[in-house]
Amino acid sequence: MQSSNLISVAVIDTGADPERVNAAHLLPGLNLSDEGDRNETIDYGTHGTAIAQTILQIAPEVRIVPIKIVNRQGILRNLEAMSIAFEWILEHHDRLNIRVVCAAIADITCSESDEYYAEHPLRPLISQLRNSQVATVAAAGNGYAHHHRQGMAFPAILREVISVGAIAQTPAGLQLANHSQRLHPSTGTGCHTTFFVEPGAPGDTSGAAATVAGRLAKLAQSQTTINEWIDQLEQSCQIVRDEDGLEWEII
């Protein structure tokens, strides 16, 4: 049974600081990091708090469910924490009315396909949530300048995820941010970067993912399905071309 009609966003990150995020917007979450006890989701860094702040700036009516899987240094000690986090969300999403999951974190990989992750335990969990109209948003990754090729980090590469890259203002207008990883549909792998957007705090593709999570949470208050939310965002998109002439949808 749902505890409230208010929409909730689960933020998988470093936690949330109740002194910087209005405690009235925070619900009890879960701590899977190496800091504090299992019920302590205080952010001793800044990343998760900034993500929550960006979401609330866009959708001030929603609540935040912090799920802490990395410590203040951004280190993931428990490699199973991500899957455990999604198992917990799947179990509690109806009670907490979680409609969006924001995983604004990424590893250092650059994959063009999710084939390698075909048997990863995260995939069926995200798929089940999506079938329950709970959207998962993830950052495409910030390693484009290092990899110098198309691809996305994990978990954004999973096709069940709404993946988000970053754009930047340049003298020539809006362009894909130099650091933002990206994957074009023309690669034919079945995976691609869903949206690009100018990031909120904490910047980069993390802040871009938080911005899209906030937009989706706002849409979830009046519309029913993930496909409807995506359609609404696509209607506001414009097209930019990169240096290779490829067209990308930006919000």
Side-chain angles (χ1 to χ4, degrees):
M1 185 176 181
Q2 293 177 355
S3 58
S4 170
N5 290 325
L6 294 174
I7 298 295
S8 298
V9 179
V11 174
I12 301 177
D13 213 287
T14 60
D17 185 347
E19 294 186 359
R20 289 177 285 166
V21 177
N22 188 335
H25 289 281
L26 296 177
L27 293 178
L30 180 67
N31 181 11
L32 299 170
S33 75
D34 59 346
E35 293 179 333
D37 62 37
R38 189 172 176 84
N39 296 317
E40 182 188 324
T41 57
I42 295 175
D43 183 6
Y44 294 105
T46 60
H47 197 272
T49 297
I51 295 296
Q53 289 173 329
T54 293
I55 292 169
L56 289 170
Q57 284 172 0
I58 298 167
E61 306 87 358
V62 307
R63 301 171 306 171
I64 301 294
V65 181
I67 301 179
K68 183 174 178 176
I69 70 169
V70 292
N71 61 24
R72 72 190 76 188
Q73 288 83 30
I75 297 173
L76 178 66
R77 301 287 189 190
N78 179 5
L79 296 180
E80 297 180 354
M82 184 77 81
S83 296
I84 296 171
F86 274 91
E87 288 174 352
W88 187 90
I89 293 168
L90 188 61
E91 180 181 353
H92 296 281
H93 75 88
D94 189 55
R95 177 177 63 84
L96 298 174
N97 204 19
I98 296 171
R99 301 297 307 278
V100 179
V101 180
C102 184
I105 53 180
D107 63 12
I108 61 172
T109 60
C110 182
S111 301
E112 294 183 4
S113 168
D114 58 3
E115 181 179 1
Y116 175 79
Y117 302 102
E119 303 301 323
H120 197 284
L122 206 57
R123 292 196 67 173
L125 296 171
I126 294 174
S127 181
Q128 288 179 66
L129 284 169
R130 184 150 182 158
N131 288 338
S132 298
Q133 304 309 316
V134 180
T136 298
V137 181
N142 300 317
Y144 186 71
H146 171 73
H147 295 289
H148 298 292
R149 62 181 176 84
Q150 286 194 44
M152 290 191 293
F154 180 85
I157 188 60
L158 301 178
R159 68 188 66 199
E160 295 85 2
V161 168
I162 296 171
S163 52
V164 187
I167 59 175
Q169 288 280 0
T170 74
L174 287 175
Q175 300 291 334
L176 303 192
N178 291 334
H179 58 273
S180 177
Q181 287 174 245
R182 73 287 303 262
L183 185 60
H184 198 267
S186 63
T187 57
T189 65
C191 305
H192 68 281
T193 310
T194 315
F195 295 113
F196 289 84
V197 69
E198 195 165 4
D204 296 333
T205 58
S206 291
T211 297
V212 170
R215 294 282 295 271
L216 292 174
K218 196 169 186 66
L219 289 169
Q221 297 174 67
S222 59
Q223 299 185 49
T224 305
T225 70
I226 293 174
N227 287 339
E228 289 176 341
W229 310 343
I230 292 174
D231 287 344
Q232 284 291 313
L233 291 186
E234 286 180 338
Q235 289 176 24
S236 67
C237 283
Q238 57 181 298
I239 302 298
V240 299
R241 291 180 181 270
D242 65 13
E243 62 275 12
D244 298 316
L246 293 175
E247 295 183 343
W248 305 86
E249 288 190 334
I250 67 171
I251 300 175

